[in-house]
Amino acid sequence: MNIDEMKQMSYEDVRQRYLQFLKAQDYAPNTVNTTYADSFYLWRKAGRELFWKAVESSDAEAKEILLDILEKNSAGSADKLVNGYLSHLRRFRLFLASDEPVKKQPPAAPPVQKKSKANDSVPDPSKEQVELYLAQWDKLENYHLQEDALDKLFFKLCPKNTDITDVLLKVSTLNDFYSTNIYSVYPVAKHILSLGIDARLKAGDVTLVNDIKRVSINGKERNFYSFASKYCSHHNPLDYPIYDSYVDLVLRYFRDRDSFSSFGNGDLKDYVYFKGALIDFRKFYCLEEYNLKQIDKYIWLLGKAYFPKEYK
């Protein structure tokens, strides 16, 4: 490979060439997928120049570069993660040292989602796209009035969760407005009351949603995950983005297309992972000027547009 030529290529072109190389080495599919994603961690997090600097550096220098970026961007232990990323860089160097040229491949099509009507035309996340969809949200009168009513209920009439009647009123209203399919609201209200959630809500305790979502009704444990995220969000919207199936589909789509994060398909059903994925999404696409509520609205509307539900 001509490294100077490779350094002039776009992120996606380099990745596609490397993917073809990996597939030709007869690696296991999981190895190919992991290597393909993790080899370009530095490029995604710190840019082209630092990526190529690490590639052309010694292992010791590359490790220092990786440690610095991991400490700034990863919630896990940088010392535990660094060797894995370093091994992926070494494998990428083998690709560069290969004598056999790899023919340039057209960009891979995004993974097909069963419920998408136009996945191949989903626009790239950008400030312009966020502004476009937030403007659309502002024009949706029904959503606006519903949100205004919920704000009045949660912020003015019943801000606390120490009285069962207040909690029951909020649970019933959310269930009705959002059609969250809770057929017996009293056990849910009683469960929330028992948790003593006000201090945790104010602190933005990310584990609270997982505690609220599990409710025992008639001896059976129910999982009201989306409702739990909505209940917390309407008390503290900046710290609690709302989980929804549309948002789930969009996050998984861009994970598969751009590798902005490495969560598993089922991980988003854990609120800690879900909020982390939204934060990763916002950072990867340089959208930090928007709060999580705005990002959540944008992704939800994007999901409704490009991943519509099909009803029998």
Side-chain angles (χ1 to χ4, degrees):
M1 294 292 168
N2 185 324
I3 189 169
D4 292 327
E5 191 178 303
M6 294 287 291
K7 287 168 71 173
Q8 301 307 311
M9 293 182 183
S10 69
Y11 172 75
E12 196 56 45
D13 280 345
V14 175
R15 290 177 78 225
Q16 288 304 315
R17 288 201 176 200
Y18 189 40
L19 178 61
Q20 296 306 314
F21 170 81
L22 292 172
K23 289 181 176 178
Q25 307 311 304
D26 204 25
Y27 292 127
N30 285 342
T31 301
V32 171
N33 292 337
T34 303
T35 303
Y36 173 59
D38 290 354
S39 295
F40 299 94
Y41 174 81
L42 278 175
W43 196 326
R44 295 195 305 272
K45 296 297 184 182
R48 177 198 297 264
E49 289 187 13
L50 198 61
F51 168 78
W52 286 111
K53 180 180 179 181
V55 168
E56 296 182 290
S57 297
S58 67
D59 274 3
E61 292 171 322
K63 188 172 183 177
E64 288 301 314
I65 293 171
L66 280 165
L67 277 170
D68 180 57
I69 301 304
L70 283 165
E71 286 170 355
K72 293 176 180 176
N73 293 278
S74 175
S77 168
D79 290 330
K80 292 180 180 178
L81 295 170
V82 68
N83 288 329
Y85 284 105
L86 187 59
S87 69
H88 292 305
L89 273 183
R90 293 194 191 105
R91 187 170 286 161
F92 183 77
R93 290 175 186 147
L94 293 177
F95 157 66
L96 294 175
S98 172
D99 292 329
E100 182 179 350
V102 177
K103 294 181 181 179
K104 186 174 180 180
Q105 300 291 325
V112 176
Q113 300 280 353
K114 291 181 179 179
K115 295 181 179 177
S116 170
K117 67 176 181 180
N119 275 357
D120 58 341
S121 61
V122 178
D124 293 340
S126 66
K127 294 179 182 178
E128 292 75 17
Q129 284 293 307
V130 175
E131 292 294 342
L132 174 67
Y133 280 101
L134 290 180
Q136 286 186 22
W137 178 276
D138 289 339
K139 295 177 183 177
L140 298 172
E141 186 180 26
N142 56 329
Y143 292 132
H144 248 306
L145 292 176
Q146 179 173 296
E147 196 164 71
D148 289 346
L150 289 171
D151 285 348
K152 185 174 183 179
L153 175 62
F154 278 75
F155 294 144
K156 296 181 179 179
L157 301 178
C158 305
K160 301 294 184 181
N161 294 276
T162 54
D163 185 294
I164 188 62
T165 56
D166 288 352
V167 178
L168 189 57
L169 181 58
K170 289 185 285 189
V171 171
S172 300
T173 305
L174 275 183
N175 185 49
D176 182 57
F177 278 9
Y178 284 109
S179 300
T180 52
N181 297 319
I182 299 175
Y183 300 110
S184 182
V185 294
Y186 176 69
V188 177
K190 189 175 180 182
H191 169 66
I192 292 171
L193 183 68
S194 72
L195 293 173
I197 67 173
D198 286 337
R200 296 173 68 184
L201 280 171
K202 186 176 181 179
D205 183 350
V206 76
T207 66
L208 180 57
V209 172
N210 289 339
D211 289 341
I212 290 176
K213 73 180 183 182
R214 301 184 187 91
V215 184
S216 179
I217 299 178
N218 296 326
K220 291 184 178 181
E221 185 174 280
R222 306 292 183 180
N223 188 334
F224 300 122
Y225 180 38
S226 183
F227 164 82
S229 72
K230 292 176 173 72
Y231 194 86
C232 291
S233 182
H234 282 287
H235 285 91
N236 184 351
L238 296 183
D239 284 330
Y240 292 100
I242 292 174
Y243 172 85
D244 181 271
S245 59
Y246 288 126
V247 180
D248 187 302
L249 285 170
V250 172
L251 288 175
R252 286 195 278 130
Y253 168 80
F254 283 112
R255 174 206 61 189
D256 293 341
R257 199 190 78 172
D258 296 338
S259 301
F260 78 88
S261 189
S262 58
F263 57 84
N265 284 350
D267 288 345
L268 296 181
K269 294 298 178 70
D270 183 313
Y271 193 76
V272 176
Y273 282 100
F274 170 69
K275 183 177 179 181
L278 277 180
I279 292 171
D280 287 345
F281 178 93
R282 182 174 64 175
K283 187 167 187 177
F284 182 86
Y285 294 107
C286 301
L287 302 172
E288 284 102 331
E289 66 187 80
Y290 300 100
N291 60 48
L292 288 180
K293 183 176 178 62
Q294 292 171 316
I295 294 294
D296 203 28
K297 287 179 178 178
Y298 152 61
I299 294 178
W300 185 76
L301 286 173
L302 185 70
K304 282 181 68 68
Y306 288 92
F307 300 86
K309 295 179 180 178
E310 295 176 354
Y311 296 98
K312 295 183 179 180

